[in-house]
Amino acid sequence: RMPLIGVFRDLRGICMSLHNRRTFGMLFDILEPQHLPLLPKVADLWYDQPDVMISLLRFMHEFCHNKANRVNFDQSSPNGILLFRATSDVVCAFGRRT
């Protein structure tokens, strides 16, 4: 449980340091194909552990927050929809269990 919390805190810290579109896109490209689909599973398994869920939701908040206009994808890019889907999957997985 504690390593999971540490990973989400580290990812949140990385997200806080991203201030432009290019660096945010790099992190998104790293997380999207393999790691973002795991987050709803974490929410589904650990829904009753507030410390895990708080760190997960705080990471998701920081990842989706559009500070300095960093969450800005091209018109032809599906990344905005993928980001929305990943976020809604986490929230829905948590909401179903509580």
Side-chain angles (χ1 to χ4, degrees):
R1 186 172 99 186
M2 292 308 289
L4 195 59
I5 294 169
V7 165
F8 290 136
R9 287 180 179 171
D10 289 345
L11 285 172
R12 182 177 175 222
I14 291 168
C15 284
M16 288 176 141
S17 68
L18 303 177
H19 293 291
N20 62 35
R21 180 180 174 186
R22 184 180 61 84
T23 55
F24 181 81
M26 292 166 113
L27 179 65
F28 185 82
D29 290 339
I30 290 169
L31 292 178
E32 170 45 39
Q34 298 163 347
H35 305 294
L36 281 183
L38 298 175
L39 300 181
K41 295 175 184 171
V42 170
D44 198 37
L45 291 173
W46 295 90
Y47 70 95
D48 58 344
Q49 299 294 319
D51 48 354
V52 174
M53 288 310 301
I54 287 171
S55 61
L56 171 61
L57 292 173
R58 283 183 179 170
F59 160 66
M60 290 304 295
H61 172 262
E62 187 63 37
F63 190 60
C64 296
H65 184 62
N66 195 18
K67 69 178 179 185
N69 203 21
R70 66 181 182 183
V71 183
N72 190 2
F73 301 112
D74 292 331
Q75 283 185 327
S76 62
S77 173
N79 291 345
I81 295 168
L82 293 173
L83 179 62
F84 173 76
R85 185 174 68 182
T87 305
S88 66
D89 286 347
V90 169
V91 172
C92 289
F94 178 61
R96 271 193 306 269
R97 301 294 291 216
T98 56

